[in-house]
Amino acid sequence: MPAVSKGDGMRGLAVFISDIRNCKSKEAEIKRINKELANIRSKFKGDKALDGYSKKKYVCKLLFIFLLGHDIDFGHMEAVNLLSSNKYTEKQIGYLFISVLVNSNSELIRLINNAIKNDLSSRNPTFMCLALHCIANVGSREMAEAFASEIPRILVAGDTMDSVKQSAALCLLRLYKTSPDLVLMGEWTSRVVHLLNDQHMGVVTAAISLITCLSQKNPDEFKTCVSLAVSRLSRIVSSASTDLQDYTYYFVPAPWLSCKLLRLLQCYPPPEDGAVKGRLVECLETILNKAQEPPKSKKVQHSNAKNAILFEAISLIIHYDSEPNLLVRACNQLGQFLQHRETNLRYLALESMCTLASSEFSHEAVKTHIETVINALKTERDVSVRQRAADLLYAMCDRSNAKQIVAEMLSYLETADYSIREEMVLKVAILAEKYAVDYSWYVDTILNLIRIAGDYVSEEVWYRVIQIVINRDDVQGYAAKTVFEALQAPACHENMVKVGGYILGEFGNLIAGDPRSSPLVQFNLLHSKFHLCSVPTRALLLSAYIKFINLFPETKSTIQEVLRSDSQIRNSDVELQQRAVEYLKLSSIASTDVLATVLEEMPPFPERESSILAKLKKKKGPGAVSVSELEEGKREGGELNGGSDRGADTAAMAASNASTPSPQADLLGLRSTAPVGSAAPSAGSLLVDVFSEAGPATPSAAVNDDGFLRFVCKNNGVLFENQLLQIGIKSEYRQNLGRMYLFYGNKTSVQFASFTTTVSCPGDLQSHILYMQEHFVEPLVEGGAQVQQVLNIECLTDFCDAPLLNIKFRYGGALQNLTLKLPVTINKFFQPTEMASHDFFQRWKQLSQPQQEAQKIFKANHSMDTEVLKAKLLGLGTALLDNVDPNPENYVCAGVIQTKNQQVGCLLRLEPNAQAQVLSHTHTHTHTHTHTNLYSCL
Amino acid sequence: MNKIRFILIQNRAGKTRLAKWYMQFDDDEKQKLIEEVHAVVTVRDAKHTNFVESDEVFRNFKIIYRRYAGLYFCICVDVTDNNLAYLEGIHNFVEVLNEYFHNVCELDLVFNFYKVYTVVDEMFLAGEIRETSQTKVLKQLLMLQSLE
């Protein structure tokens, strides 16, 4: 076997490195380096031409100095010179210097590319590899421009050496990742896919990375790789542990290649071909079987390599999610790992089981491991393993085990690491609500949550417990009693005071019969916390006090005394002062009857999705509420009953008289309803998105926008739907006129009051389209009823924005306010025009003034299925012209946009390409404005 | 996407013995990553896993590392990548270094830093595993060693 001695070949370098190592201080090191730099500079500038060896040595020293963390501002040219040396060692140092110190000096780039070019065509495999490695390491745009077309040829050429093929495949991958537009596989596709059959396992190992990446981007073009990958995998899996010789690692045949093959298959759905599928299932079974066999070696390398394949196979099984037998077997295997002595395996098993828990086929099997997982949560030393255990408990939770899991998570919270507390709190809150069968349990859980981890309990969590208590009269007494007890603790969290203030203010009477919690005791308890609290909490407490005056007349004088004190009535905080003044006045002048009406118990909140889930959704993307924005949601002042608008209090209190909500209700309830209409997705996926923060920014309320987009190509359907309301649309268009029927369906059994709808045109849209609202809607919509409204529309000139429809109504006292985009888009006024190929291109050419022409390249968001695309283009309103474009892949359309003032002819060509991008080209009779408007429709 | 973001070899004192980057990072980011990796791996012991996922520090990637005497070999990959495959990838690499340098020690990596890059490029390229056969890699290295 080869061996190298220290710094062989370059004595000067070894001496220099030793000197640096012997430096006693940073200063000494810098001094030594500066001396060396001066020396090298003088050598490079000297009259005497340096020989290759010296040049290599000095460049290598410069590189060493750079790697120590010092700037290097010369030597690049000498390094480039080394590239054209005929000696491997000199070339290698040159390329290494270039790869490490990438320089964008354009002059040098040209020289470097030139040297690379020479080496690529040298037919010397060592030089070719050096050049390819340099491209792969630098991967710049300039290199992609210079070599992207050359490398596929090297990769598939019959006479290319195996090692060069390996480098070429990965070099191409790098260029594809940096400049996908420059790497066009086209004609090479099939030959690249067939590298999966290559005799040389190293070539397959390298090529499969390229194929996987390309498959992710162009699955259809590469789908033949599936059967090739399956047969390759099958050959590896069924080979004996020594068959593959060089590629056997600790008695495991080709572990890395197996993993890569299994990973490639995860880019595709299960194979359709029965034989291929059967063979693959056989492979997966064999892999699972092997896990049960006695190990061929005691070395950890053996079991790691074997299990690397096993975990990858399980990922594929989960990805398919269609083979119950395999899923359950995978689960059992992971179950064994949960108790393995290797921490790595326990960790990975927990992680993998988390995904198994969400499959209907394996959910039950995962649940059987609950005790082990709970034990892991309690005993694992590595916090990341405990975190995985907590994740898994969350994933396996359902109605049958919720109480146990929530209890375990709560007790874990007491000692949990700070880094994961907030996430744990949300998870507990979500599980407690999702699986609450009896609400006293739910109340206990949330209060415990506040007690244990109050700092991590967000507003949404405690808002939610109040919403639920208000809406369920069977739990109110219990909640009052429990929160009263919790407040007894000498140091209780401010969030507990908030919940306590609110609940006792509403339902304190339910426990007032017990002398231990008499009205005055309750009040004194709350007031004892007052001075320790922040302003918003104090504001909330003041509201609770006025409610007390109503609930318990005997507390009136005590409370008035408190309100009258200077610290309240002259408080420097304007909100607190105002509350004190107003409540004091209210309590002294209003009659008992008036007081009782004003301070009546809060009406129930409309049933809606959990505000915690809503919080998670809201986090998913800013601006998410742009379309259906709830007026109240925009209000500042997030605190319950605090920070509301000046002067709103008396009005608000009076408002509850008419069983409309006070600001409390608004803030509690409506703030949380932003994502109306979006069906609640599974909490699991939500959490993943939110907690990663890097999740796809799918704005929750964009559901409404989706509704809008769906109507670009169709005229009828459901525009919007939430738990309360469904809005359907039927529309028809002729020439420049349109008529739209809107159907509002009340999905509840309760009447909607003050139902109004308004259509508005944002910006200058008014000058482009005209609206006539023919029928106004009745202000009352009975439960279960549907009302209809007709809108007449006229298109005056082309336009871009859509009109907005605002709907307001009262449901159960709460004001609902909703704004939607009406699906009126410019293409609705298209008249299809048929024309022959000749005509089309003649007109196309006539319309080639810059302002008449526009083009745009965009990514297709959906799969580019021909039939779907055709249907969409027809839906757009244009005529789809067959046999017009010489390229059958392209789509050609023609139509006339009818406006009141003019008719605008439009010709459209779509040129889909391999990267799922669409080049779209339009020619129209008018100004570019129309293009923009059309594109926004596309 | 399977992709190695970087490979780091550090000693216990935090001195970098190899840094191979497969993604564009600027110098400050590189320095920060080097320090963060050092901070997270050196506090771990044999009872811990060989994997570090940290939302705050590494976002959507993770560190897979293995300690050999005073050296930490760390490989940074995507969170969805196969932990054990990369863990053994490290070991495979270390065994090659061990053969190549005849019982490799930290000083070999210091004095022959430019050769270590060659070994890396033979085994990992463009953030992917290029060659896994120790025999093939060593044969190639021996051949290169014989060249001038």
Side-chain angles (χ1 to χ4, degrees):
Chain A
M1 279 298 130
V4 288
S5 56
K6 281 169 197 160
D8 73 331
M10 285 187 276
R11 221 187 103 69
L13 175 69
V15 170
F16 174 58
I17 294 175
S18 296
D19 283 357
I20 295 287
R21 289 180 55 77
N22 291 332
C23 287
K24 295 277 184 285
S25 66
K26 195 79 197 159
E27 290 72 31
E29 182 184 309
I30 290 172
K31 210 173 147 201
R32 178 67 185 89
I33 285 170
N34 285 335
K35 186 182 152 202
E36 193 63 37
L37 286 174
N39 172 42
I40 298 172
R41 204 176 260 121
S42 75
K43 295 282 188 210
F44 283 170
K45 277 191 184 155
D47 303 332
K48 212 173 70 184
L50 286 176
D51 60 14
Y53 170 81
S54 309
K55 217 182 273 175
K56 170 182 82 170
K57 183 178 70 185
Y58 293 131
V59 168
C60 204
K61 281 183 181 176
L62 286 178
L63 187 54
F64 183 78
I65 294 169
F66 176 80
L67 291 172
L68 283 177
H70 302 270
D71 282 339
I72 293 297
D73 54 4
F74 69 103
H76 300 82
M77 195 45 120
E78 284 73 14
V80 173
N81 286 341
L82 286 175
L83 300 184
S84 43
S85 163
N86 279 326
K87 295 189 170 147
Y88 165 75
T89 52
E90 290 168 18
K91 222 184 241 300
Q92 189 251 328
I93 297 296
Y95 273 123
L96 181 57
F97 187 94
I98 303 296
S99 303
V100 175
L101 281 99
V102 196
N103 194 294
S104 56
N105 183 318
S106 59
E107 181 61 17
L108 280 180
I109 288 283
R110 203 177 48 77
L111 292 172
I112 294 166
N113 280 358
N114 219 17
I116 291 176
K117 206 169 172 197
N118 288 336
D119 282 334
L120 285 183
S121 50
S122 69
R123 308 186 75 75
N124 175 333
T126 307
F127 291 179
M128 288 173 87
C129 279
L130 277 180
L132 289 168
H133 292 180
C134 180
I135 302 173
N137 283 324
V138 177
S140 66
R141 179 92 195 156
E142 290 85 355
M143 287 189 176
E145 277 163 0
F147 304 111
S149 55
E150 171 72 2
I151 296 168
R153 205 190 46 74
I154 298 177
L155 175 59
V156 298
D159 57 349
T160 304
M161 297 272 292
D162 291 331
S163 65
V164 177
K165 276 190 193 169
Q166 287 175 278
S167 300
L170 293 172
C171 187
L172 199 55
L173 171 62
R174 173 68 199 256
L175 294 185
Y176 183 76
K177 281 180 179 169
T178 42
S179 313
D181 54 317
L182 295 177
V183 179
L184 303 171
M185 295 311 292
E187 50 181 322
W188 308 110
T189 303
S190 146
R191 294 170 75 180
V192 168
V193 170
H194 276 86
L195 289 171
L196 289 173
N197 269 341
D198 202 285
Q199 288 188 345
H200 191 286
M201 301 266 273
V203 172
V204 188
T205 304
I208 194 170
S209 294
L210 174 66
I211 295 166
T212 305
C213 180
L214 292 168
S215 297
Q216 281 162 346
K217 298 281 159 57
N218 325 286
D220 283 349
E221 283 168 61
F222 283 82
K223 65 176 174 231
T224 49
C225 72
V226 171
S227 61
L228 291 176
V230 169
S231 55
R232 189 91 212 195
L233 180 69
S234 164
R235 270 179 281 156
I236 296 172
V237 168
S238 57
S239 64
S241 55
T242 49
D243 283 357
L244 302 175
Q245 295 168 353
D246 292 355
Y247 288 89
T248 298
Y249 178 83
Y250 287 88
F251 305 101
V252 181
W256 293 280
L257 179 53
S258 305
C259 289
K260 282 188 179 193
L261 286 162
L262 289 160
R263 186 53 69 110
L264 170 61
L265 292 170
Q266 288 170 59
C267 302
Y268 289 91
E272 282 157 23
D273 181 330
V276 177
K277 174 141 189 222
R279 208 165 170 197
L280 178 56
V281 168
E282 219 170 87
C283 286
L284 295 170
E285 279 170 347
T286 311
I287 293 169
L288 285 166
N289 291 341
K290 281 188 177 177
Q292 293 296 325
E293 288 170 10
K296 295 195 171 64
S297 156
K298 286 214 160 63
K299 290 252 166 70
V300 69
Q301 284 78 13
H302 171 71
S303 78
N304 279 350
K306 201 163 117 179
N307 292 328
I309 303 173
L310 177 64
F311 278 108
E312 205 61 65
I314 291 176
S315 294
L316 182 63
I317 292 170
I318 295 170
H319 168 75
Y320 287 164
D321 197 15
S322 60
E323 300 284 330
N325 174 40
L326 290 177
L327 282 159
V328 171
R329 283 193 64 186
C331 184
N332 293 339
Q333 182 59 53
L334 295 175
Q336 290 181 18
F337 286 160
L338 288 181
Q339 316 220 37
H340 203 279
R341 60 186 166 80
E342 283 271 329
T343 315
N344 287 342
L345 280 183
R346 297 197 302 274
Y347 172 88
L348 294 171
L350 288 166
E351 184 181 61
S352 190
M353 241 188 205
C354 235
T355 37
L356 273 178
S358 55
S359 164
E360 55 169 322
F361 301 114
S362 46
H363 183 78
E364 286 304 314
V366 170
K367 273 168 61 186
T368 59
H369 300 287
I370 183 165
E371 296 302 334
T372 320
V373 181
I374 287 171
N375 196 41
L377 188 65
K378 287 178 178 161
T379 57
E380 284 288 350
R381 274 195 51 203
D382 185 337
V383 57
S384 63
V385 186
R386 295 199 296 274
Q387 163 95 60
R388 288 280 172 265
D391 291 346
L392 178 53
L393 284 178
Y394 180 77
M396 67 162 71
C397 191
D398 61 19
R399 209 166 285 284
S400 73
N401 55 20
K403 281 198 177 176
Q404 185 186 9
I405 285 177
V406 166
E408 294 295 347
M409 287 175 101
L410 269 177
S411 76
Y412 175 59
L413 251 180
E414 309 225 24
T415 53
D417 303 71
Y418 293 107
S419 56
I420 61 172
R421 282 197 182 179
E422 188 180 357
E423 186 182 323
M424 291 287 296
V425 166
L426 278 171
K427 284 183 171 171
V428 171
I430 288 168
L431 292 180
E433 180 181 341
K434 201 167 163 193
Y435 299 114
V437 258
D438 87 70
Y439 280 87
S440 53
W441 172 72
Y442 169 75
V443 169
D444 282 342
T445 304
I446 301 296
L447 293 186
N448 266 329
L449 207 53
I450 296 174
R451 189 176 54 73
I452 295 165
D455 282 346
Y456 299 89
V457 172
S458 58
E459 283 171 354
E460 282 77 3
V461 173
W462 70 263
Y463 285 2
R464 187 63 186 162
V465 72
I466 286 174
Q467 281 180 19
I468 287 180
V469 170
I470 300 248
N471 285 15
R472 312 223 144 233
D473 43 21
D474 52 336
V475 79
Q476 288 158 355
Y478 182 80
K481 178 169 165 286
T482 321
V483 78
F484 176 80
E485 280 160 12
L487 285 172
Q488 307 282 343
C492 67
H493 196 273
E494 188 164 335
N495 280 337
M496 189 69 87
V497 180
K498 289 178 183 168
V499 176
Y502 202 108
I503 289 185
L504 293 181
E506 294 294 326
F507 309 114
N509 56 327
L510 299 178
I511 56 168
D514 188 325
R516 285 166 299 178
S517 51
S518 71
L520 262 177
V521 174
Q522 286 185 41
F523 170 74
N524 287 331
L525 180 61
L526 280 180
H527 199 53
S528 69
K529 314 283 182 193
F530 188 91
H531 305 280
L532 301 168
C533 291
S534 62
V535 169
T537 308
R538 290 184 190 192
L540 183 149
L541 285 177
L542 290 178
S543 297
Y545 298 169
I546 186 73
K547 290 238 166 186
F548 266 49
I549 292 182
N550 176 46
L551 286 180
F552 317 116
E554 66 267 38
T555 60
K556 183 169 170 177
S557 58
T558 317
I559 290 174
Q560 281 181 333
E561 197 63 40
V562 168
L563 293 175
R564 205 178 286 120
S565 72
D566 278 357
S567 63
Q568 306 300 349
I569 211 160
R570 294 190 203 288
N571 194 296
S572 62
D573 184 273
V574 74
E575 176 66 34
L576 292 182
Q577 189 188 91
Q578 186 177 0
R579 285 189 189 221
V581 172
E582 286 174 1
Y583 292 163
L584 186 59
K585 270 282 175 248
L586 184 66
S587 65
S588 34
I589 48 180
S591 71
T592 339
D593 279 356
V594 170
L595 210 56
T597 337
V598 170
L599 299 171
E600 200 185 29
E601 193 178 296
M602 293 294 291
F605 292 89
E607 276 307 327
R608 51 170 65 100
E609 68 177 303
S610 159
S611 51
I612 312 168
L613 286 175
K615 174 190 178 178
L616 298 183
K617 284 187 196 169
K618 214 186 297 179
K619 274 191 175 179
K620 287 172 87 179
V625 282
S626 60
V627 178
S628 84
E629 198 163 63
L630 290 136
E631 202 173 70
E632 283 77 5
K634 286 192 284 190
R635 267 198 206 165
E636 297 290 309
E639 279 74 31
L640 171 77
N641 205 4
S644 56
D645 296 343
R646 258 190 70 85
D649 283 292
T650 16
M653 284 302 171
S656 65
N657 175 22
S659 91
T660 46
S662 75
Q664 305 172 350
D666 289 356
L667 293 170
L668 269 180
L670 295 173
R671 287 179 81 248
S672 62
T673 55
V676 264
S678 51
S682 81
S685 64
L686 263 174
L687 282 169
V688 170
D689 284 343
V690 170
F691 292 144
S692 69
E693 283 206 351
T698 341
S700 49
V703 175
N704 296 336
D705 234 330
D706 261 6
F708 172 77
L709 287 174
R710 273 189 287 116
F711 282 89
V712 168
C713 296
K714 65 174 193 173
N715 289 333
N716 306 324
V718 174
L719 177 66
F720 172 85
E721 183 158 19
N722 67 6
Q723 286 104 322
L724 306 178
L725 177 70
Q726 185 193 55
I727 304 175
I729 279 195
K730 271 173 85 171
S731 48
E732 50 198 30
Y733 293 87
R734 270 191 73 161
Q735 308 281 358
N736 64 325
L737 299 176
R739 174 171 291 180
M740 184 179 277
Y741 299 87
L742 290 160
F743 302 91
Y744 304 95
N746 181 344
K747 290 172 66 184
T748 70
S749 48
V750 183
Q751 184 188 64
F752 291 166
S754 320
F755 193 91
T756 56
T757 64
T758 335
V759 175
S760 60
C761 295
D764 63 353
L765 185 61
Q766 260 162 337
S767 56
H768 298 289
I769 39 177
L770 206 64
Y771 263 96
M772 303 220 308
Q773 205 159 336
E774 279 206 345
H775 304 281
F776 289 92
V777 199
E778 289 295 318
L780 291 180
V781 183
E782 294 300 333
Q786 190 183 59
V787 293
Q788 180 185 337
Q789 181 183 22
V790 184
L791 298 174
N792 284 336
I793 304 153
E794 184 176 4
C795 176
L796 302 177
T797 65
D798 66 330
F799 61 95
C800 188
D801 287 338
L804 299 177
L805 172 68
N806 178 270
I807 302 141
K808 284 194 185 121
F809 60 92
R810 292 194 179 280
Y811 166 72
L815 178 68
Q816 307 282 334
N817 184 340
L818 175 73
T819 304
L820 301 167
K821 262 172 147 175
L822 273 182
V824 181
T825 45
I826 186 72
N827 65 295
K828 299 292 183 195
F829 304 96
F830 252 133
Q831 295 285 93
T833 318
E834 293 289 344
M835 56 179 84
S837 177
H838 175 73
D839 288 342
F840 181 87
F841 282 103
Q842 197 176 3
R843 292 185 198 206
W844 183 265
K845 283 189 195 106
Q846 282 166 2
L847 299 174
S848 51
Q849 303 283 331
Q851 76 272 23
Q852 292 176 325
E853 189 182 343
Q855 56 172 308
K856 191 173 180 181
I857 298 174
F858 52 90
K859 274 254 182 271
N861 293 324
H862 312 284
S863 73
M864 298 214 296
D865 178 26
T866 320
E867 288 317 307
V868 175
L869 208 62
K870 276 188 181 167
K872 281 196 175 163
L873 288 168
L874 283 173
L876 203 58
T878 55
L880 188 60
L881 307 176
D882 282 325
N883 305 321
V884 166
D885 200 293
N887 181 350
E889 298 292 329
N890 292 349
Y891 301 90
V892 174
C893 310
V896 177
I897 295 177
Q898 307 273 347
T899 73
K900 188 183 179 199
N901 303 337
Q902 60 181 144
Q903 302 197 336
V904 187
C906 287
L907 305 176
L908 172 79
R909 264 170 103 190
L910 287 180
E911 305 176 22
N913 76 2
Q915 279 76 45
Q917 286 177 330
V918 180
L919 169 68
S920 135
H921 213 109
T922 51
H923 284 212
T924 72
H925 270 293
T926 46
H927 47 87
T928 46
H929 205 67
T930 318
H931 297 295
T932 325
N933 300 346
L934 263 180
Y935 279 130
S936 58
C937 298
L938 283 174
Chain B
M1 196 174 290
N2 306 12
K3 195 167 154 79
I4 305 171
R5 318 294 172 108
F6 55 81
I7 298 176
L8 278 182
I9 306 177
Q10 298 177 320
N11 68 12
R12 288 185 63 190
K15 272 218 167 23
T16 304
R17 293 310 182 201
L18 171 84
K20 181 79 189 170
W21 307 94
Y22 295 99
M23 255 178 83
Q24 291 295 332
F25 294 104
D26 62 35
D27 289 347
D28 289 345
E29 286 172 318
K30 286 180 183 173
Q31 192 50 41
K32 197 161 162 260
L33 283 167
I34 286 172
E35 285 163 16
E36 280 163 352
V37 169
H38 180 249
V40 295
V41 299
T42 45
V43 295
R44 299 171 70 84
D45 64 31
K47 289 263 169 114
H48 286 87
T49 63
N50 290 86
F51 323 124
V52 189
E53 256 180 73
S54 163
D55 289 348
E56 294 123 73
V57 184
F58 304 118
R59 293 276 150 200
N60 54 345
F61 43 98
K62 62 188 171 193
I63 304 291
I64 293 165
Y65 76 98
R66 194 126 138 187
R67 185 180 159 178
Y68 294 88
L71 286 181
Y72 289 90
F73 285 70
C74 309
I75 201 159
C76 176
V77 294
D78 197 272
V79 276
T80 59
D81 270 322
N82 188 315
N83 297 46
L84 293 176
Y86 284 105
L87 185 60
E88 285 317 303
I90 292 174
H91 189 74
N92 201 30
F93 174 55
V94 171
E95 288 193 350
V96 167
L97 289 176
N98 202 42
E99 282 291 324
Y100 184 53
F101 290 109
H102 267 210
N103 292 327
V104 68
C105 69
E106 189 175 345
L107 278 188
D108 293 322
L109 306 186
V110 176
F111 283 93
N112 297 289
F113 70 94
Y114 57 97
K115 290 185 177 159
V116 179
Y117 280 100
T118 304
V119 182
V120 173
D121 279 352
E122 284 298 318
M123 303 186 73
F124 306 94
L125 191 64
E128 299 283 342
I129 294 176
R130 176 183 178 274
E131 179 57 85
T132 61
S133 157
Q134 294 184 18
T135 321
K136 288 232 159 59
V137 173
L138 287 163
K139 210 171 125 197
Q140 176 74 6
L141 291 172
L142 183 65
M143 190 277 285
L144 296 176
Q145 187 76 17
S146 71
L147 297 173
E148 212 190 313

